[in-house]
Amino acid sequence: MIACQKTMLISTLISGIACTSVVVAEPLLEATVYERSSQTLKKCQLLQDRDRLYLPLELLIEDFKLESKPLPKDQLGICLDDRCIPFSGEVGLRHVQAQNDVLYLSIDRLVKGMGGTRIWHAKSRTLLIDLASKPVRKSQSANQVLDAQLTDLDGNPVRLSSLHGKRILLFAWASW
Amino acid sequence: MDIQGAHRVRPWVEKANATYPVLVDKQARVAAAFGVDYVPFAALIDENGMVVQSAFPSNIADSRHRTAVSNWAHTGTFVENAGESTKRNKAGGFESTDAELYFSLAGQLLQTGETASALVQLKNALKLEPGNWVIKKQIWAIENPERFYKGNVDYKWQRTQLESEKLAQTINRDD
């Protein structure tokens, strides 16, 4: 029994699987992790397996604000709004690793599934992630812009969505 | 769009006696969402939150352009200005790029006062998109605040800077 007691979520996610799979100790890597949508910026330990990087599940839930949801066929998914990536089942578990009571999920699996992007800048050991990079096009919803976390000149958070019901001329400028 | 934050923006807003709401985009989300690499640009969003006109270069000195925007505000119909050049948005359209990701990390670092780290990330961004004016000017403004925030913006200095950077590039290529 390796990582089954940490939280309810973890034990459900890996029930019977990480517990039975062979876990090989991979080197942990101290890195800076940045995720754009959640404005997460923190140092944490990544798991590196060959050229693959894995992030601790706790970071995804606590900081990236992802949720675990049940999916069809008794699968469990890690979700951002309506986008879910299965991390259980035969396929999903290839992207999960467990070590020292911590579960790690493959960053590439997550990013590809969400339609986001990620960069590993090896020199500065920085992992940059954007889980929610949806395009904004003509005749489409401007939600990504409307929901963006902007601030007024006094630093108070403002979302353009508060102007719903009005026409918005968005003029983007800089003094330079 | 200055990711350094409100203190770099306020003097200009006060000087212009702006009556419209001014918001600061410290993580460059708006430019990234529209896939643009220049300022100024405008976009029109209707009362239902739909994009009527995605980002386009906005020249408010152009009276035809002003009329088109003002008509839209009153009637909800936007007639594109045929005379105005439609500047390209980035190749591939509107996908978030790696450069934008480095750029937004720089914004986050500036908020916590890590200016040196922010500059490193801005330069990573510029390496990927050397033609991106927003990134280039943001670097200049952080490194040379006296040319940007003391009275008028020193455009003459910018031209000289651009020339010397081009020259440096040529020399590096020859090496």
Side-chain angles (χ1 to χ4, degrees):
Chain A
M1 298 296 283
I2 300 153
C4 294
Q5 282 89 35
K6 185 120 182 157
T7 66
M8 281 293 286
L9 165 74
I10 293 176
S11 63
T12 323
L13 179 69
I14 62 164
S15 93
I17 301 154
C19 314
T20 54
S21 62
V22 180
V23 179
V24 184
E26 302 294 345
L28 293 176
L29 186 67
E30 179 79 19
T32 303
V33 177
Y34 169 66
E35 201 284 311
R36 181 182 200 164
S37 344
S38 57
Q39 301 190 24
T40 302
L41 176 60
K42 67 189 313 184
K43 289 218 183 321
C44 89
Q45 300 232 308
L46 308 183
L47 191 145
Q48 190 173 28
D49 182 7
R50 289 177 290 267
D51 55 346
R52 291 194 188 159
L53 290 170
Y54 296 78
L55 287 178
L57 179 63
E58 204 182 332
L59 182 80
L60 306 182
I61 306 285
E62 299 283 320
D63 298 286
F64 295 6
K65 307 294 177 206
L66 301 181
E67 288 177 287
S68 71
K69 287 184 191 167
L71 300 177
K73 294 183 191 166
D74 294 331
Q75 294 222 56
L76 246 160
I78 300 293
C79 308
L80 182 67
D81 304 325
D82 54 349
R83 285 174 289 169
C84 287
I85 317 298
F87 268 103
S88 55
E90 203 181 322
V91 178
L93 273 161
R94 282 186 221 145
H95 305 280
V96 181
Q97 300 230 24
Q99 196 168 304
N100 302 334
D101 276 354
V102 181
L103 265 192
Y104 294 85
L105 269 54
S106 154
I107 181 59
D108 286 329
R109 167 83 170 163
L110 195 67
V111 161
K112 273 182 199 151
M114 296 284 177
T117 52
R118 69 96 168 159
I119 309 168
W120 171 241
H121 192 255
K123 202 172 149 194
S124 61
R125 287 195 177 184
T126 306
L127 179 65
L128 300 88
I129 306 163
D130 186 355
L131 288 178
S133 56
K134 280 186 182 168
V136 178
R137 293 197 176 90
K138 188 172 171 176
S139 304
Q140 286 188 354
S141 157
N143 281 347
Q144 194 188 331
V145 174
L146 296 174
D147 293 337
Q149 180 88 59
L150 308 172
T151 49
D152 67 15
L153 291 180
D154 298 319
N156 304 311
V158 178
R159 288 176 205 275
L160 288 173
S161 51
S162 63
L163 297 171
H164 192 82
K166 292 180 181 172
R167 292 189 192 118
I168 303 171
L169 163 62
L170 178 72
F171 185 75
W173 60 275
S175 58
W176 22 262
Chain B
M1 283 177 62
D2 197 317
I3 60 174
Q4 291 176 95
H7 70 288
R8 290 304 194 198
V9 178
R10 189 189 294 277
W12 304 89
V13 176
E14 285 174 354
K15 205 170 160 187
N17 285 322
T19 53
Y20 44 84
V22 176
L23 304 175
V24 187
D25 188 5
K26 283 187 281 200
Q27 286 187 301
R29 282 159 187 268
V30 173
F34 287 113
V36 286
D37 58 4
Y38 54 87
V39 279
F41 71 84
L44 308 179
I45 300 170
D46 75 11
E47 47 276 63
N48 301 313
M50 301 297 280
V51 179
V52 175
Q53 193 66 35
S54 193
F56 56 98
S58 183
N59 178 11
I60 48 169
D62 181 332
S63 65
R64 281 183 306 173
H65 177 67
R66 270 206 315 275
T67 308
V69 170
S70 158
N71 280 345
W72 172 76
H74 290 108
T75 66
T77 310
F78 183 66
V79 183
E80 281 185 65
N81 192 339
E84 187 88 344
S85 70
T86 314
K87 190 166 173 175
R88 75 198 160 79
N89 289 335
K90 276 185 251 177
F94 303 85
E95 300 306 322
S96 172
T97 66
D98 286 359
E100 284 156 5
L101 198 45
Y102 281 118
F103 191 54
S104 72
L105 170 56
Q108 187 84 19
L109 288 163
L110 284 170
Q111 286 183 53
T112 50
E114 295 170 71
T115 311
S117 305
L119 277 167
V120 170
Q121 302 302 344
L122 282 168
K123 285 171 185 177
N124 284 337
L126 190 64
K127 226 177 270 173
L128 294 172
E129 286 185 12
N132 188 317
W133 279 100
V134 178
I135 301 171
K136 189 189 277 285
K137 288 209 179 191
Q138 186 73 73
I139 294 173
W140 285 351
I142 295 171
E143 287 186 332
N144 310 277
E146 72 284 1
R147 303 286 182 188
F148 288 83
Y149 303 110
K150 280 198 172 163
N152 291 332
V153 177
D154 189 346
Y155 289 107
K156 194 178 161 208
W157 176 88
Q158 291 188 26
R159 280 192 292 277
T160 315
Q161 179 68 13
L162 191 62
E163 285 307 315
S164 64
E165 283 180 15
K166 275 184 188 161
L167 191 67
Q169 254 175 7
T170 318
I171 293 166
N172 284 340
R173 252 204 314 272
D174 291 346
D175 281 349

